[in-house]
Amino acid sequence: QVQLVESGGGLVQAGGSLRLSCAASGSIFSSDVMGWYRRAPGKQRELVASFTGGGKTNYADSVKGRFTISRDNAKNTVYLQMDSLQPEDTAVYYCNLRRLLPYKDCWGQGTQVTVSS
């Protein structure tokens, strides 16, 4: 089993930075795909950034150049560094792990990010 716990959210002014952390309990396999999603109030959940087992990173166009996903295998943790935050980044951010064999789709509880103008 895998459990994910997000932390690092908070309130920042536009132009500020936050680093989100996703701590995983249980083993994380190199083939696992991990990523960050967000859901703004009244909007559908969307992919923000992902880090595949092959090492490829993917970013939503809206965050390219501002957000960086990274991982620390020794700490079993995935990070999302968010710079130049804008009010439209306000959302609850969720960590996700997807394992294909056997199939698993795990989510954290979410951490709130609020960016003031």
Side-chain angles (χ1 to χ4, degrees), residues 4 23 29-30 35 41 50 52 60-61 63 66 68-69 71 76 82-83 91 94 98 107 111 114-115:
L4 307 174
F29 301 154
S30 61
S50 63
T52 71
D61 288 341
V63 307
R66 299 190 297 120
T68 304
I69 187 171
R71 64 186 178 189
N76 233 24
M82 305 185 295
D83 298 320
Y94 299 90
R98 182 167 294 179
W107 295 89
T111 184
T114 303
V115 185

Side-chain angles (χ1 to χ4, degrees), residues 3-11 17-24 36-37 75-82 91-96 107-113:
Q3 292 182 329
L4 307 174
V5 179
E6 302 98 331
S7 62
L11 173 65
S17 298
L18 286 172
R19 188 176 72 161
L20 306 183
S21 298
C22 173
W36 289 93
Y37 291 74
K75 295 182 178 180
N76 233 24
T77 300
V78 176
Y79 304 96
L80 184 67
Q81 178 67 42
M82 305 185 295
V92 178
Y93 285 71
Y94 299 90
C95 181
N96 170 257
W107 295 89
Q109 83 288 350
T111 184
Q112 184 172 326
V113 172

Side-chain angles (χ1 to χ4, degrees), residues 1-105:
Q1 74 281 7
V2 176
Q3 292 182 329
L4 307 174
V5 179
E6 302 98 331
S7 62
L11 173 65
V12 298
Q13 291 185 237
S17 298
L18 286 172
R19 188 176 72 161
L20 306 183
S21 298
C22 173
S25 63
S27 297
I28 305 300
F29 301 154
S30 61
S31 58
D32 291 341
V33 176
M34 299 195 69
W36 289 93
Y37 291 74
R38 68 185 181 187
R39 186 165 70 89
K43 296 183 178 180
Q44 195 169 350
R45 184 179 62 196
E46 64 177 349
L47 175 68
V48 177
S50 63
F51 196 10
T52 71
K56 183 177 69 175
T57 57
N58 298 287
Y59 297 94
D61 288 341
S62 60
V63 307
K64 284 183 179 179
R66 299 190 297 120
F67 291 10
T68 304
I69 187 171
S70 62
R71 64 186 178 189
D72 186 332
N73 291 334
K75 295 182 178 180
N76 233 24
T77 300
V78 176
Y79 304 96
L80 184 67
Q81 178 67 42
M82 305 185 295
D83 298 320
S84 301
L85 284 162
Q86 301 299 315
E88 53 265 34
D89 297 316
T90 296
V92 178
Y93 285 71
Y94 299 90
C95 181
N96 170 257
L97 179 150
R98 182 167 294 179
R99 180 173 296 163
L100 297 182
L101 299 171
Y103 181 79
K104 287 185 179 294
D105 193 14

